[in-house]
Amino acid sequence: MTDSIDELKQRLRRFAEDRDWEQFHSPKNLSMALIAEAAELVEHFQWITEAQSAELAPEKQREVELELADIFIFLIRCADRLGVDLVKAANEKTDINEGRFPVERVRGVAGRGSDFEP
Amino acid sequence: MTDSIDELKQRLRRFAEDRDWEQFHSPKNLSMALIAEAAELVEHFQWITEAQSAELAPEKQREVELELADIFIFLIRCADRLGVDLVKAANEKTDINEGRFPVERVRGVAGRGSDFEP
Amino acid sequence: MTDSIDELKQRLRRFAEDRDWEQFHSPKNLSMALIAEAAELVEHFQWITEAQSAELAPEKQREVELELADIFIFLIRCADRLGVDLVKAANEKTDINEGRFPVERVRGVAGRGSDFEP
Amino acid sequence: MTDSIDELKQRLRRFAEDRDWEQFHSPKNLSMALIAEAAELVEHFQWITEAQSAELAPEKQREVELELADIFIFLIRCADRLGVDLVKAANEKTDINEGRFPVERVRGVAGRGSDFEP
C-alpha cells in the first residue's frame, strides 16, 4: 500500500512538471520558498500569547491550517529534489535526539541543543 | 494500516511527553522552532549556486537530510498541537493551487502567488 | 559629518572586497544570510516566555547582542548592493505606517497589517 | 549632532507608545516580526536568479526597498527593547569577524563560519 505522503509527493511532482516549474525548483530556491511559508505561520502568532496560539478562532484556524500545508508542500518538494525520504530521516533524527536528550537529564527543562551538550 | 506519518506523530508526542516538554510546545513556540530549523537549511545553500545545491557531496547531503528531518519534526508537532491533519491540508491546498495556477496561464513562468492574481 | 551607519557600510564593503566575497554577495544570497541570522535570534527566544525575553542574563544578553549585529551587518550589505538608503527608506515606511495605522483606530490593538485594512 | 539611526529609534519608540503597542513589543515577539519581514525580502528573490536579483525593475526595486525598511524598523525596535547599541555591536562583531576570517585564509572562498573553524 502506498503511504499518503508518497502519493502527495507524486502529486506535487506532477503539479510542477505540468507547469514546467521544475526549472525553478532547485533545492536552493525551494529552501527559500519553504522559509517564506514558515514565516507566514510565524506572522499569525507574533502578537498573540502562547495561550492564544493554542485556541484559535475557526477562521484563523483555517488560515493557519493552510500555512502548515504550504510548509509541508515545499518541504516535500525539497526532499523530493534531494532524494530524501522524509519519514525515514525524521525517524533517524529522533533516534539521535533520544540519545542527545536523555529523559533523566532534560525532564522539564527547555533549551537549545547546544545547552545540553557536555 | 497506520500511515507512516501518523506513527511519527505518535512517536514525537511521546518524546515530548516523556521529557515534560509539552509545556513549551505552544503553537507560537513551535512556529519559532520550525522557522529556526528552516533557516539551518537555508544556511547550507546561501553561498552556493542553484546547480551546486542540486549536487551535494555525501557529507553535506547527510547534513541537509537531517535539517529536513528537523523541519518535518517541528511541522508535525505544530500540526499535532493544532489538531491539523497535514496530508489532508496539503491536498486541500493543492486543490486550491490547481485553480489559482491553471497550466495554460502559468506554464514556464515563476512568480509569487500575487503575481498571478487578476 | 559622516553618519555612523555610513561608516559601517564602508567598512563592511571593504571587508567583503578584501576577501573577494563580493562575488557571493548577490541580493538573493544576502537575503538568505540575513534570514539565517534572524533565525538565530529567534532561536534564543523560542522556549522562553515574553517576560523572560526582556530580562536576559548577562551572558545570554551578549549572545543576543551579537545576533542583532549579524542581522544588521547583512541588512547593510544587502541595502548597499541594492543601492538602498536604509535610514531614508525606514523613515518613508514609517510615514506610510502613520497613515495606515492611525492612533485612534489601532490604539492597544495588535494585528497584522492586513487586519487593519478597510 | 544626533546620528540618523538614533533619531529613527526615537521616532519608532514614539510610534509604538502613541499606539500603546509597547505591550506587544517583547523581544520575543519582535524577533518574530523581524523574521517575518526578512522572509518577505526572501520571497522577492526565491524564483529569480542571483543576477536578476541585482538588476530589479523599478517597481520591484521600490517594493524591496520597503521590505528592507521593515526589517530595519523591527531590528531597531528589538535592539531598543534590549538596550543594544546596534552600530557599536556591529563594529564589535566585525572586529571578531576580522579575526575569524583572515584575508589570506578565506580569500575567494565562501563558507559558513563553522567551515573556517580549526
Side-chain angles (χ1 to χ4, degrees), chain B residues 100-118:
Chain B
R100 273 175 94 199
F101 305 114
V103 173
E104 62 277 12
R105 185 139 174 244
V106 303
R107 198 173 165 77
V109 185
R112 296 189 301 158
S114 58
D115 296 339
F116 295 119
E117 305 296 344

Side-chain angles (χ1 to χ4, degrees), chain D residues 26-69:
Chain D
S26 61
K28 180 180 176 110
N29 288 2
L30 288 166
S31 77
M32 297 174 82
L34 174 50
I35 203 164
E37 296 299 345
E40 294 192 18
L41 182 70
V42 166
E43 215 186 334
H44 280 283
F45 297 139
Q46 67 195 11
W47 306 129
I48 65 178
T49 64
E50 287 185 57
Q52 289 169 333
S53 79
E55 297 194 351
L56 302 175
E59 195 195 346
K60 187 86 160 176
Q61 167 81 15
R62 182 59 180 162
E63 286 174 31
V64 163
E65 220 167 284
L66 294 176
E67 306 295 6
L68 290 168

Side-chain angles (χ1 to χ4, degrees), chain B residues 41-60:
Chain B
L41 182 70
V42 166
E43 215 186 335
H44 281 283
F45 297 139
Q46 68 195 10
W47 305 128
I48 65 176
T49 64
E50 287 186 57
Q52 288 169 333
S53 78
E55 296 195 353
L56 302 174
E59 195 194 346
K60 188 86 157 175

Side-chain angles (χ1 to χ4, degrees), chain A residues 19-104:
Chain A
R19 283 156 187 78
D20 198 15
W21 281 358
E22 289 284 11
Q23 60 180 313
F24 305 114
H25 285 192
S26 62
K28 180 179 176 111
N29 287 2
L30 288 166
S31 78
M32 298 174 82
L34 174 51
I35 203 164
E37 297 300 344
E40 294 192 18
L41 182 70
V42 166
E43 214 186 335
H44 280 283
F45 297 140
Q46 68 195 10
W47 305 129
I48 65 178
T49 65
E50 288 185 56
Q52 288 168 333
S53 77
E55 296 195 352
L56 303 175
E59 196 195 346
K60 188 87 158 174
Q61 166 82 13
R62 181 58 180 163
E63 285 173 32
V64 164
E65 218 165 285
L66 293 177
E67 306 295 6
L68 290 169
D70 282 327
I71 299 168
F72 195 27
I73 286 169
F74 283 117
L75 179 62
I76 290 172
R77 283 265 65 213
C78 195
D80 190 19
R81 291 311 297 257
L82 288 162
V84 172
D85 179 330
L86 278 177
V87 172
K88 185 166 167 283
N91 273 306
E92 287 169 359
K93 186 59 199 275
T94 306
D95 292 342
I96 294 170
N97 284 342
E98 287 174 346
R100 273 174 94 199
F101 305 113
V103 172
E104 62 277 15

Side-chain angles (χ1 to χ4, degrees), chain C residues 3-4 11 18-19 21 26 28 48 50 53 61-62 70 82 91-93 95 101 107-109, chain D residues 3-4 11 18-19 21 26 28 48 50 53 61-62 70 82 91-93 95 101 107-109:
Chain C
D3 231 50
S4 61
R11 182 180 183 190
D18 288 349
R19 284 157 186 76
W21 282 358
S26 61
K28 180 180 176 110
I48 65 178
E50 289 185 56
S53 78
Q61 167 81 13
R62 181 59 181 162
D70 282 326
L82 288 161
N91 273 306
E92 287 169 359
K93 186 59 198 276
D95 293 342
F101 305 113
R107 199 174 163 76
V109 185
Chain D
D3 232 48
S4 61
R11 183 180 181 190
D18 288 349
R19 283 157 188 77
W21 282 358
S26 61
K28 180 180 176 110
I48 65 178
E50 287 185 57
S53 79
Q61 167 81 15
R62 182 59 180 162
D70 282 327
L82 288 162
N91 273 306
E92 288 169 357
K93 186 59 199 273
D95 293 342
F101 306 113
R107 198 172 166 77
V109 184

